[in-house]
Amino acid sequence: MTQANRTMEKSSSETSSRKRPLSSESLPKELESIDFSQRISWRNNLAIIGEGVRPEFRKESPALCHHVNALCGEARACTIHLPHGRVETPVFMPVGTKGTLKGLVFEEVSQDPALQNQIILANTYHMELQPSTTLLRDMNGLHDFMNWNSNILTDSGGFQMVSLLKLAEICEEGVTFESPFSEGKRILLRPEDSIKHQINIGSDIMMALDDVVSSVTEDVSRFREATHRTLRWLDRCLSVHSNREKQNLFAIVQGGLDTSIGGLREQCLAGFRIRDDDIPGYAIGGLAGGESKDEFWRVVHQCCQALPNDKPRYCMGVGYPLDLVVCTALGVDMYDCVYPTRTARFGVALVDSGILKLKSHECSKDKTVIEDGCECQACRYGISKSRLNGWLKSNNTLGAQVRDNIENKKKRRFCLTRNLHS
């Protein structure tokens, strides 16, 4: 058993000892008959399927086939078969918010031997603002628009309720944003709108619009409202999902940091268990917003222990190296974060020993590459730290471009560590 799992078990035990009775008055009607005296879980007997086995798509999941290839404790190596090819997990998905990865061209993303990404992420809110999802639909979807032949996952726009909170008003109907481009213009994003936009985009995995609250918010009633609203909004998303043969709709677990028995995370999980036949994969949301590592990992552990083990698990917005290792040990398959490319643009490299500040004086006269044996462009072509230091200090975009390749390669290398038997 890993240290992470031992810590999580201890935390779960401590949480169980603080169990409190639930009042049915505080629950949605659909959850009133649920037995919350025990942990919510619906894990199945799991069959290990060898790599290379052809996918068999089922009627209830016509656009996704999930094979678990190997296990080591809770960590797992899987293959997710999607409309635009397979995705091997654990996988880090580079973030192409507006249909492009800053500092990289798509030939590098898909063909460079150090990257070869099988899936990237785009953002529904930003794609609707510019260039508009109607245009993308008319251009035969985002795949054709950006000449990308692999898979795409789209965020629903829910995260912008946190990142753009000052511009947003949230109610049962949806979320209304003030346009960042046109003063006085307001944009309403309802669950139905989010799915319509994502269908226009043509992503292989769509995310349901959820009510997202910052994890460090102290308003318990707001968390309760958001958790229960997330269930109602999921039903509205499912009701307009008209392209099930080609697009998958994942649900997002909310509930703040409440991991207690019968708490908000449990309530959200219980609601999803009722709807499981309509959900091909799950995400863990509402994290990486400033909470402690212990609180963060406790939520991930709870969700991985509850969610079905024959479907993908995606931890949203997570990309720090330590979190990737711990969450994979807890059972997560998929990740996304702007951390690699944003870090690169500040001239910082992720190396095996930690971080390397390429703008530092120490690098200005260093003739060595960033890391021996690294397959990224900079190391592969022998570009020295000194050369990178000069590019970055002069704001030469080539320096950031090479750094982006390095950072995404580091994530790729981690996520291809798939031999879980050793």
Side-chain angles (χ1 to χ4, degrees):
M1 181 184 296
T2 66
Q3 181 63 40
N5 277 312
R6 282 194 292 269
T7 301
M8 294 305 114
E9 285 196 358
K10 181 173 182 277
S11 297
S12 296
S13 175
E14 292 172 350
T15 302
S16 298
S17 68
R18 299 193 299 268
K19 184 179 73 172
R20 49 177 172 65
L22 279 173
S23 167
S24 61
E25 295 179 358
S26 66
L27 291 173
K29 188 175 182 61
E30 65 180 288
L31 301 182
E32 290 178 0
S33 61
I34 301 294
D35 178 10
F36 283 107
S37 65
Q38 297 182 3
R39 287 291 182 189
I40 299 298
S41 180
W42 66 108
R43 290 164 64 123
N44 308 311
N45 293 326
L46 186 64
I48 304 299
I49 300 174
E51 294 185 56
V53 175
R54 292 177 61 85
E56 295 183 6
F57 296 94
R58 305 189 308 273
K59 181 179 179 181
E60 60 270 24
S61 182
L64 185 151
C65 178
H66 183 248
H67 289 163
V68 177
N69 306 132
L71 291 171
C72 180
E74 296 297 328
R76 56 198 205 163
C78 306
T79 303
I80 306 172
H81 299 275
L82 294 168
H84 286 85
R86 73 182 188 279
V87 176
E88 297 173 345
T89 72
V91 63
F92 179 83
M93 299 178 287
V95 178
T97 300
K98 298 182 179 181
T100 182
L101 271 67
K102 291 183 179 180
L104 292 173
V105 296
F106 278 107
E107 286 77 6
E108 293 175 299
V109 179
S110 60
Q111 298 174 19
D112 190 291
L115 297 177
Q116 296 180 332
N117 294 107
Q118 298 167 327
I119 184 170
I120 62 172
L121 183 144
N123 183 275
T124 298
Y125 168 82
H126 290 289
M127 297 299 294
E128 169 57 14
L129 284 178
Q130 292 179 336
S132 89
T133 64
T134 301
L135 173 64
L136 294 178
R137 179 200 63 197
D138 295 343
M139 299 294 289
N140 202 30
L142 183 58
H143 288 89
D144 282 6
F145 186 70
M146 64 182 191
N147 195 28
W148 175 252
N149 296 321
S150 296
N151 296 288
I152 297 173
L153 181 148
T154 42
D155 184 13
S156 62
F159 176 70
Q160 277 64 48
M161 296 182 200
V162 174
S163 64
L164 300 177
L165 183 59
K166 292 182 180 180
L167 299 176
E169 294 179 7
I170 305 162
C171 65
E172 187 63 28
E173 185 179 11
V175 54
T176 301
F177 295 99
E178 293 182 20
S179 172
F181 305 118
S182 303
E183 186 175 351
K185 182 179 180 181
R186 295 166 64 83
I187 304 165
L188 174 63
L189 182 67
R190 302 171 301 170
E192 296 85 355
D193 300 323
S194 176
I195 299 305
K196 182 190 77 171
H197 294 320
Q198 292 181 80
I199 289 174
N200 286 345
I201 292 170
S203 52
D204 302 270
I205 297 176
M206 306 186 294
M207 304 307 299
L209 184 65
D210 51 340
D211 190 350
V212 187
V213 183
S214 169
S215 59
V216 295
T217 298
E218 296 182 356
D219 187 346
V220 176
S221 63
R222 177 69 184 99
F223 277 117
R224 183 181 301 111
E225 174 189 55
T227 302
H228 299 161
R229 180 176 287 155
T230 292
L231 295 175
R232 296 191 295 272
W233 281 7
L234 174 60
D235 289 336
R236 291 168 61 183
C237 289
L238 289 168
S239 71
V240 294
H241 181 14
S242 59
N243 196 23
R244 296 171 187 261
E245 296 297 319
K246 295 182 179 179
Q247 293 180 274
N248 300 281
L249 177 59
F250 280 22
I252 306 172
V253 183
Q254 291 294 343
L257 303 176
D258 184 1
T259 58
S260 60
I261 290 182
L264 293 178
R265 288 280 172 177
E266 295 265 277
Q267 293 173 34
C268 193
L269 288 162
F272 288 168
R273 184 173 62 180
I274 296 171
R275 299 161 173 80
D276 184 64
D277 287 346
D278 294 320
I279 305 172
Y282 293 90
I284 304 168
L287 296 174
E291 71 280 355
S292 70
K293 293 293 187 186
D294 178 70
E295 292 171 315
F296 166 33
W297 294 336
R298 189 181 301 181
V299 171
V300 173
H301 173 67
Q302 178 193 27
C303 292
C304 288
Q305 289 296 304
L307 293 168
N309 48 10
D310 58 352
K311 295 184 179 183
R313 303 175 190 141
Y314 163 31
C315 197
M316 305 183 74
V318 172
Y320 290 118
L322 177 61
D323 292 333
L324 295 180
V325 173
V326 172
C327 292
T328 297
L330 296 174
V332 174
D333 305 308
M334 305 166 67
Y335 307 90
D336 81 282
C337 192
V338 298
Y339 178 65
T341 47
R342 180 173 292 171
T343 299
R345 291 193 296 277
F346 284 102
V348 177
L350 303 179
V351 294
D352 287 346
S353 59
I355 64 171
L356 175 65
K357 297 181 179 180
L358 290 166
K359 289 184 177 181
S360 67
H361 177 73
E362 290 77 8
C363 289
S364 64
K365 297 181 180 180
D366 193 330
K367 297 179 181 180
T368 65
V369 297
I370 291 175
E371 199 161 41
D372 289 332
C374 176
E375 298 175 359
C376 74
Q377 286 182 357
C379 296
R380 196 167 71 236
Y381 297 144
I383 301 175
S384 69
K385 296 172 191 171
S386 177
R387 188 69 179 113
L388 288 166
N389 176 278
W391 280 339
L392 291 165
K393 282 188 172 180
S394 63
N395 292 321
N396 189 319
T397 57
L398 184 58
Q401 179 177 342
V402 173
R403 283 294 319 121
D404 282 351
N405 179 281
I406 297 167
E407 299 305 349
N408 281 295
K409 182 264 174 185
K410 292 287 185 185
K411 300 295 187 190
R412 173 76 176 155
R413 183 174 66 181
F414 159 76
C415 291
L416 285 181
T417 306
R418 290 170 48 83
N419 185 359
L420 299 179
H421 296 292
S422 58

